Amino acid sequence: MRQANTALHQMLSGLTALEQDDAWAEIAEALGQFERQGGFEGPCEMLVVAAHK
């Protein structure tokens, strides 16, 4: 998450380095509730669409 989510990086960019570290710690704690044995199972939904003309 910390390496891949550019939108989140943009949101945190106005914070100091210490504030960013604190924010990442809070994010890790919040996402920890979705860790399951062998992986991560979050309340996410993905819509994949393909089309051609």
Side-chain angles (χ1 to χ4, degrees):
M1 176 72 118
R2 194 169 185 165
Q3 296 173 349
N5 194 330
T6 58
L8 190 50
H9 284 274
Q10 289 176 350
M11 287 187 275
L12 299 178
S13 67
L15 302 177
T16 67
L18 182 57
E19 290 170 330
Q20 286 182 22
D21 288 343
D22 289 344
W24 283 117
E26 285 185 44
I27 291 166
E29 183 178 338
L31 291 177
Q33 67 181 311
F34 302 110
E35 290 180 5
R36 303 288 184 257
Q37 187 173 11
F40 179 87
E41 185 178 325
C44 303
E45 186 174 306
M46 181 187 299
L47 179 61
V48 179
V49 178
H52 61 84
K53 184 174 181 179

